[in-house]
Amino acid sequence: MHIEKIKYFLDLYECGSYTETARRNFISQTAVSQFIHSLEQEFQIQLFDRSVTPVAATQAGNLFYREASVLWEQYAGMKEKMRNFQKNQAQTLRISYASVVEIHVLLPFIRKLKEKYPATELLLSKVRMKDIAGHLLKNVCDFAVCLDSAFAGCSGIQEVQLHSGCYRALAGEGHPLFDAAQITMDELYQYPLIMLSREAIGGSYQIMLEKTRQAGYQPDIVKNVMDLETEIFSIITEKLIGFAPDIFPVHDFEGHLRLIPVKDFNHSYTLEAAYLKTNENPAVREFLEILT
């Protein structure tokens, strides 16, 4: 297997189209098809169901995607490190994050890092919350920035707290609660809810449900989605109500979204930057110096 061609598989998995995969990689559809066939021959397993449109991954294909995406990021990171070394021996710092909220918290630290160590190259990659600790443990990234629950029970990981706060209700223009200055939990749980799925946020999903039930409420969750961007789109277009950290940048949505405080709401969060104690990358020490 040629590791550089693994991108053909990743693109086909993500877009479901041989035509689009060929366009992205400046090759023919035949070349894409031949590579996928060679992968299936090599591993003696079917990766895609070609009887449907768009092309869908099989169960084996889903497993292969998880492993291949890690392999590809490791390979891309290695290439970038080698390029930097060849140019000017600059250090590379790889940071994985889960959503725009982490980027919002990271930016002040990144600015300070670039001011003090301008030669340090930054590589950012977005990862599902449930996978982010695995990326760190597999050395795909140097730092993983996410909710603290993402790193629970992971040995060898050191964490630095970046920010803590509480969740608020997130409503779109046209929702009955949109103009409220504050709402009660009775008001909140009268309406259909949208949440990030278990597959996206792992154990945090169950923690949130248990806290809600302990408070005496049974949430009406009508939709689960895989990422914050899809949640926001559904909140705006389907008039659902969801949750977001109190630092979520609603101003980016030109008045179509509002964060609404919920009285006596007990859902808090802590954002942390995590790294492996054994990581010897000098850029990790540079960034720790800024973080602490």
Side-chain angles (χ1 to χ4, degrees):
M1 180 180 69
H2 297 288
I3 191 168
E4 289 191 339
K5 292 183 180 179
I6 202 73
K7 189 172 182 295
Y8 304 165
F9 169 84
L10 297 175
D11 285 345
L12 181 59
Y13 182 96
E14 290 167 2
C15 74
S17 165
Y18 281 91
T19 302
E20 175 62 16
T21 300
R23 187 193 66 79
R24 291 183 185 183
N25 293 279
F26 305 100
I27 58 174
S28 67
Q29 293 183 51
T30 301
V32 175
S33 180
Q34 288 174 344
F35 177 71
I36 299 301
H37 179 70
S38 69
L39 276 181
E40 292 177 327
Q41 290 291 103
E42 181 174 350
F43 291 95
Q44 292 296 296
I45 200 158
Q46 185 175 345
L47 298 174
F48 290 99
D49 179 0
R50 297 168 177 79
S51 66
V52 296
T53 304
V55 174
T58 62
Q59 188 174 359
N62 289 328
L63 173 61
F64 192 86
Y65 175 79
R66 290 195 293 271
E67 297 300 318
S69 60
V70 169
L71 180 63
W72 179 253
E73 288 197 33
Q74 288 176 325
Y75 177 64
M78 179 186 69
K79 285 179 68 177
E80 186 65 24
K81 283 183 176 180
M82 294 301 101
R83 278 196 296 268
N84 287 336
F85 184 84
Q86 187 179 34
K87 284 192 302 183
N88 54 15
Q89 298 191 18
Q91 304 297 336
T92 299
L93 186 68
R94 302 162 301 162
I95 302 176
S96 292
Y97 67 97
S99 76
V100 66
V101 175
E102 284 84 356
I103 292 295
H104 184 70
V105 171
L106 266 177
L107 277 175
F109 299 105
I110 296 297
R111 290 192 189 102
K112 291 178 182 178
L113 177 71
K114 293 300 287 183
E115 287 171 6
K116 189 163 187 178
Y117 301 101
T120 298
E121 298 287 338
L122 294 171
L123 292 177
L124 267 66
S125 59
K126 186 179 178 185
V127 181
R128 287 189 298 185
M129 180 177 165
K130 78 178 190 69
D131 297 327
I132 203 163
H135 271 230
L136 192 59
L137 292 168
K138 292 177 181 179
N139 199 33
V140 176
C141 61
D142 298 304
F143 275 92
V145 183
C146 197
L147 297 176
D148 58 345
S149 56
F151 310 115
C154 297
S155 61
I157 289 180
Q158 190 73 36
E159 299 157 48
V160 179
Q161 182 174 323
L162 302 182
H163 182 83
S164 61
C166 62
Y167 283 95
R168 292 185 176 181
L170 186 64
E173 190 175 21
H175 191 280
L177 299 178
F178 182 76
D179 293 317
Q182 185 185 57
I183 60 176
T184 65
M185 285 194 284
D186 284 339
E187 290 173 310
L188 171 65
Y189 291 117
Q190 286 179 21
Y191 295 96
L193 301 173
I194 182 171
M195 280 185 62
L196 295 176
S197 66
R198 285 186 177 88
E199 291 76 17
I201 61 176
S204 294
Y205 185 93
Q206 194 60 37
I207 292 171
M208 209 162 195
L209 284 185
E210 287 174 1
K211 283 187 175 182
T212 302
R213 289 165 182 160
Q214 288 168 8
Y217 297 93
Q218 182 61 43
D220 179 20
I221 302 170
V222 297
K223 191 171 185 178
N224 289 124
V225 293
M226 290 299 294
D227 55 62
L228 188 56
E229 291 82 359
T230 306
E231 180 180 359
I232 291 165
F233 182 80
S234 299
I235 286 171
I236 293 173
T237 59
E238 300 175 35
K239 294 183 171 57
L240 298 174
I241 194 162
F243 304 97
D246 49 9
I247 57 170
F248 179 77
V250 289
H251 55 269
D252 291 346
F253 294 87
E254 301 180 344
H256 297 296
L257 277 177
R258 282 199 64 233
L259 278 173
I260 308 169
V262 183
K263 187 178 179 181
D264 299 325
F265 206 46
N266 64 346
H267 297 294
S268 60
Y269 69 91
T270 300
L271 285 175
E272 294 183 334
Y275 63 98
L276 291 180
K277 297 176 183 178
T278 55
N279 192 327
E280 297 180 357
N281 181 357
V284 170
R285 306 303 147 195
E286 294 175 358
F287 198 41
L288 278 175
E289 179 185 326
I290 301 298
L291 294 177
T292 55

